[in-house]
Amino acid sequence: MAIADAKGYPVSVLATSATPHEVKLVLSTLEARTTLAQPCRLIGDKAYDSDMLDQQCKEIGVELIAPHKANRRKAVTQDGRSLRRYQRRWKVERLFAWLHNFRRLINRFDYKIENFQAFLELGAFMILMKRYL
C-alpha cells in the first residue's frame, strides 16, 4: 500500500500480507505516514467504495474519493465534482513505477516483512532525495 501526494511523491508506504482487502489497510497506511500533516483527500479506485471506510475517513478528517462499483445497492454518495479529481490517480501509479526501478522491490526476496518494509522505505526515501537534490 502506498499514499502519494499531489505530485506523486511518497507520503506513506506499508508492506503487509496480501490476504486482507485494501479497505482494511487504509487507516494503518495513514498511520504509517512520514509527514506530520495528514492528507485532506484520499483518491482510490472502485475497490475503495465502502461506506464503512468512508465513515472512518470522515471521522479523522479525510475526504475519500472513489467511484462507485457497478453493483452498488445503497444510495450514491459521490457527486461528479469530487470525482473529477479521480483523473489524477495516475500519479500514484507513477509512484509504483518509480519504486519498481529498484530491483529488490520488484520481487520480494526477503523472508521477513520487516526487511522488505525497510527496503520499501529506503526506495521511497531515495525517490524523495531525487526530488530535493
Side-chain angles (χ1 to χ4, degrees), residues 23 48-58 64 68 72-78:
V23 172
Y48 291 87
D49 180 27
S50 168
D51 291 332
M52 180 188 70
L53 178 63
D54 195 24
Q55 182 63 30
Q56 290 173 343
C57 287
K58 281 182 184 177
L64 179 66
H68 293 305
R72 183 177 177 87
R73 295 183 183 176
K74 295 184 180 179
V76 175
T77 59
Q78 297 282 341

Side-chain angles (χ1 to χ4, degrees), residues 1-2 12-18 20 25 28-29 32 105 108 110 112-121:
M1 297 281 297
S12 176
V13 289
L14 180 70
T16 184
S17 171
L25 300 174
S28 59
T29 308
L105 297 178
R108 186 176 157 196
D110 302 309
K112 295 192 180 243
I113 191 78
E114 295 86 8
N115 294 341
F116 184 72
Q117 175 70 28
F119 279 106
L120 189 61
E121 290 175 3

Side-chain angles (χ1 to χ4, degrees), residues 11 30-31 33 35-41 57 59-62:
V11 173
L30 273 173
E31 291 173 2
R33 68 183 181 273
T35 60
L36 294 177
Q38 111 180 345
C40 56
R41 285 179 218 95
C57 287
E59 288 175 4
I60 60 172
V62 176

Side-chain angles (χ1 to χ4, degrees), residues 84-132:
R84 281 186 234 146
R85 290 189 169 100
Y86 184 74
Q87 296 172 352
R88 291 188 284 260
R89 193 178 162 277
W90 64 272
K91 294 179 182 181
V92 177
E93 301 299 332
R94 182 178 64 183
L95 169 64
F96 284 113
W98 286 342
L99 286 172
H100 281 138
N101 286 333
F102 304 104
R103 183 173 171 254
R104 188 151 188 156
L105 297 178
I106 295 173
N107 295 325
R108 186 176 157 196
F109 296 116
D110 302 309
Y111 180 75
K112 295 192 180 243
I113 191 78
E114 295 86 8
N115 294 341
F116 184 72
Q117 175 70 28
F119 279 106
L120 189 61
E121 290 175 3
L122 182 63
F125 176 74
M126 290 178 71
I127 291 169
L128 286 173
M129 288 304 293
K130 285 182 183 179
R131 173 186 178 189
Y132 291 113

